[in-house]
Amino acid sequence: MTPPEHRLNAIAPYFTMYPLSFPLNELSQARPGEWVLDPFCGRGTTNFAARLLGLPSAGIDSNPVAAAVARSKIVRADADGVIRRCKELLASVRAPREVPEGEFWELAYHRETLLDICRLRESLMSGIDEPEDIMLKALVLGILHGPRHKGGPGYLSNQMPRTYATKPGGAVAFWRKRGLRPERINLPKLVERRARYTLAAVPETAGGEILQKDSREKSSFPRVPGGYRRVVTSPPYWGMRSYIPDQWLRNWFLGADHEVCYSQKGQLRHGGLGNFIEDLARVWENCAAVAAPEARMHIRFGALPSVPQSPEEILRSSIEMSRRWRVAGIRASGIPKKQRRQSNQFVKKMGKAIEEIDMEAVLS
Ligand SMILES: C[S@@+](CC[C@H](N)C(=O)[O-])C[C@H]1O[C@@H](n2cnc3c(N)ncnc32)[C@H](O)[C@@H]1O
């Protein structure tokens, strides 16, 4: 059972998120006040672990969905505030300016539910970023799509996976074949139920910042007094290029176009292993530039078994190329329960097991 103070971490799912236990273990020896950095923060698991331990943290991710979810991990808002804000924002937009049309949208959401989603989308896009808005945004991203539950609605959509959104063609074919029509879901009620559960015991904040930026750029890294003592991170697994297209529906909610975006802008290059290693090396160099002397870096990494190089070889090459870190230890990620593996979502989608490793490096 998830302890109530850990529930915020699961506010929205994210493809290839790692379990909270990984950063919690790696940060357990950190001293109060030490800054933590994650240059590929995803949904902000590292930032949440840092918060639980009272450590300030920074997170960087170029995917807008990741950054929006990660932001909720460092702010504090209670359920009443989020529920109130949701009602306020819904009432503030009578007729949304933009309501996507077509078979996908008709089958994905009941018309009334879609109108409410569009109302919230429009008002949350206006750029007001109070903690309640940040939390509400992440909460709605978490319920935007997912499976139907027998015991009452858990998600706003017709039947869909929750970690990634099906592409329109495939989704429509799936719904049509099974005769699945979207149910009318009461958005404010579902938000209320989720907020009461997720925000039942929100831990104290420990400070920090999440940036939607490209970590290959030096300028993306905020400097902190004394530098970061700990880096805990997990780069995209080699060959994993679908972070943006797989999150197309959540990206739409955040303001993107209502069609699948296949652009790889801001993502590590997966065209050619050499390019990928070079990109990773740049990120390690950038981390080194803002790290404290003798900082430690903990990396979880994996690659598909069809890839001839092992994840260890790939990661070692990138660390050596950066010339700033020394490998201090490497081990199989060794997570005993199969269902807790970060790669499990790949296994479901691609039917293949992935080798995962954990590496520790020290600033040299
Ligand atoms: C394995 S996921 C991290 C998951 C994270 N540990 C969690 O628990 O949610 C890797 C992340 O790297 C991000 N990413 C890929 N290329 C990037 C880049 N150049 N700059 C910043 N983030 C990048 C992806 O968007 C993805 O969210």
Side-chain angles (χ1 to χ4, degrees), residues 47-253:
N47 307 90
F48 189 70
R51 173 184 188 160
L52 287 174
L53 298 167
L55 306 166
S57 71
I60 305 169
D61 202 294
S62 54
N63 184 345
V65 174
V69 176
R71 278 190 188 120
S72 72
K73 306 298 167 68
I74 62 166
V75 299
R76 202 181 154 92
D78 63 15
D80 285 337
V82 171
I83 294 160
R84 200 179 323 114
R85 189 69 177 138
C86 177
K87 288 181 181 156
E88 231 173 72
L89 292 179
L90 281 174
S92 71
V93 180
R94 260 213 318 162
R97 277 192 303 267
E98 211 191 307
V99 183
E101 284 177 4
E103 204 174 5
F104 171 82
W105 296 95
E106 280 161 25
L107 287 173
Y109 298 105
H110 185 282
R111 178 79 186 166
E112 294 304 321
T113 313
L114 181 61
L115 286 174
D116 271 351
I117 296 172
C118 292
R119 281 188 185 99
L120 269 193
R121 175 177 180 264
E122 229 164 88
S123 44
L124 284 169
M125 266 164 61
S126 69
I128 305 168
D129 258 355
E130 294 299 321
E132 285 74 18
D133 296 332
I134 293 172
M135 206 60 99
L136 178 61
K137 215 183 259 184
L139 204 108
V140 176
L141 288 175
I143 57 174
L144 200 59
H145 54 82
R148 291 197 192 190
H149 285 300
K150 285 203 183 90
Y155 298 93
L156 298 166
S157 71
N158 200 344
Q159 178 74 26
M160 264 228 194
R162 57 194 279 277
T163 39
Y164 63 93
T166 326
K167 309 289 183 309
V172 167
F174 178 90
W175 294 323
R176 271 223 210 119
K177 191 168 165 201
R178 290 162 184 80
L180 291 169
R181 305 281 317 166
E183 282 171 40
R184 181 170 184 183
I185 312 288
N186 184 324
L187 188 149
K189 258 203 181 144
L190 184 54
V191 164
E192 174 162 2
R193 188 147 59 80
R194 276 297 177 99
R196 296 241 178 267
Y197 175 82
T198 308
L199 308 175
V202 178
E204 282 301 319
T205 49
E209 194 176 358
I210 303 291
L211 296 116
Q212 187 198 317
K213 290 199 168 166
D214 185 336
S215 48
R216 288 169 299 184
E217 307 293 331
K218 241 191 189 77
S219 58
S220 303
F221 287 69
R223 289 192 175 268
V224 294
Y228 298 91
R229 296 285 310 176
R230 308 265 168 176
V231 181
V232 185
T233 196
S234 171
Y237 286 9
W238 166 234
M240 173 64 200
R241 37 179 118 215
S242 57
Y243 286 101
I244 306 284
D246 275 347
Q247 297 297 331
W248 76 273
L249 204 44
R250 293 195 173 107
N251 247 317
W252 163 78
F253 181 72

